[in-house]
Amino acid sequence: MKSSKAIALGAALFGMATISGPAIAQQPSTGAAPSASSAKYSDTEVNQFTKAVMALQSIQKDAAVPAADKQAKMAGAVQQSGLPPEKFNEIATASNTDQALMQRIQLAAGKMQGRAKNP
């Protein structure tokens, strides 16, 4: 249960709506070098995080999933991404203050959403 609470905290901190399609298009590109925090996370970790957040968004929107079951499904989605819950929360927290990291996440989300639309 502890990991479920941690995942919920991470999801709340991240504000899951920040990687939606329109938000990606609206973000200005600074061309700046990645910050030290952003560089701390590998592309694989960013991709795993993004995949998990997209799964969490899907679970949250799914009216067929009873509210009581959403936490367990969300914990499972993070585990399936391959990212430990602690790392998920760490990236979620860092993305709130690190614009370069947020841009990397948004870029990864855009690529994943593009693949989903064009299989």
Side-chain angles (χ1 to χ4, degrees):
M1 280 298 163
K2 185 177 180 182
S3 65
S4 293
K5 288 180 183 177
I7 291 165
L9 173 62
L13 289 172
F14 182 67
M16 294 185 301
T18 61
I19 67 165
S20 64
I24 294 167
Q26 295 171 0
Q27 291 296 321
S29 175
T30 60
S35 69
S37 178
S38 175
K40 177 180 177 179
Y41 305 107
S42 70
D43 288 341
T44 299
E45 289 172 326
V46 169
N47 288 334
Q48 290 171 318
F49 176 80
T50 303
K51 179 181 176 184
V53 169
M54 292 173 77
L56 296 179
Q57 288 175 325
S58 178
I59 292 165
Q60 287 285 45
K61 292 177 186 177
D62 190 351
V65 177
D69 296 341
K70 288 189 179 193
Q71 282 293 332
K73 286 185 86 64
M74 290 170 69
V78 171
Q79 288 176 343
Q80 285 182 325
S81 76
L83 200 61
E86 298 79 18
K87 183 64 78 171
F88 175 89
N89 289 333
E90 183 181 318
I91 294 172
T93 301
S95 70
N96 285 322
T97 58
D98 185 339
Q99 187 61 34
L101 177 58
M102 179 55 72
Q103 287 177 350
R104 288 177 63 201
I105 293 166
Q106 290 173 335
L107 181 62
K111 289 179 182 177
M112 287 179 194
Q113 288 171 345
R115 276 188 248 141
K117 292 178 184 174
N118 301 315

